[in-house]
Amino acid sequence: MGVGKSTVGALVAERLGCVYRDTDDDIVAEQGRTIADIFVDEGEPVFRAIEKRAVHKALAEHDGVLALGGGAILDEDTRALLAGHRVVYLSMDVEEAVKRTGLNAARPLLAVNPRRQWRDLMEARRHLYTEVAREVVATDGRTPEEVAQAVLDALELKEA
């Protein structure tokens, strides 16, 4: 959350001359409401089922840079599908998360005690991110342009 996946993903796609897609945007467009509203109205399990369908559909149809929501990797089937792709985990520490989001944005999983919640989420998810990632790129203290270049370098991809 707040790592810059949408911004960096769009920059990487632009530099590669390909199409960018974000599964969070797909979900919002399909559902006609925000992700926060889905969480509040229907709960996390319903959202995760919607997210799983969106990710699987995007992986089947999209041939470009794809950004996934931070919880997409919680699903075992999704992790298996990601195994054949060039996945980059954009990492940051809690201090960077505070700088970027203030940890007070509309993020349903951070509603109470955001710093602790963020740390707990990362503790629970980090091993899953690294399981599916071909590369890990730290975003702390970097501009989106610097992170995009680091992604290209890590994957040994050349700009179009």
Side-chain angles (χ1 to χ4, degrees), residues 57-73:
K57 180 179 181 188
L59 286 170
E61 339 178 304
H62 183 69
D63 188 27
V65 175
L66 180 63
L68 306 181
I73 49 78

Side-chain angles (χ1 to χ4, degrees), residues 73 89 91-94 118-132 136:
I73 49 78
Y89 162 36
S91 70
M92 70 177 170
D93 67 21
V94 70
W118 190 90
R119 282 189 186 107
D120 290 348
L121 281 173
M122 288 310 300
E123 295 270 327
R125 294 178 178 181
R126 187 172 287 115
H127 73 283
L128 299 174
Y129 293 144
T130 57
E131 175 187 320
V132 300
V136 178

Side-chain angles (χ1 to χ4, degrees), residues 4 7-16 88 90 135-139 142-160:
T7 302
V8 171
L11 285 169
V12 170
E14 180 182 310
R15 291 182 184 186
L16 292 173
V88 176
L90 300 179
E135 300 292 339
V136 178
V137 173
T139 65
R142 289 176 154 172
T143 67
E145 292 77 14
E146 291 169 332
V147 175
Q149 188 59 55
V151 168
L152 292 171
D153 293 346
L155 294 175
E156 299 179 356
L157 297 172
K158 303 290 182 212
E159 294 186 37

Side-chain angles (χ1 to χ4, degrees), residues 58-106:
L59 286 170
E61 339 178 304
H62 183 69
D63 188 27
V65 175
L66 180 63
L68 306 181
I73 49 78
L74 296 173
D75 180 74
E76 185 177 348
D77 295 336
T78 299
R79 290 195 309 275
L81 281 177
L82 291 169
H85 297 275
R86 294 177 177 168
V87 177
V88 176
Y89 162 36
L90 300 179
S91 70
M92 70 177 170
D93 67 21
V94 70
E95 297 310 318
E96 188 76 9
V98 169
K99 285 182 209 171
R100 292 185 189 184
T101 68
L103 293 182
N104 62 2

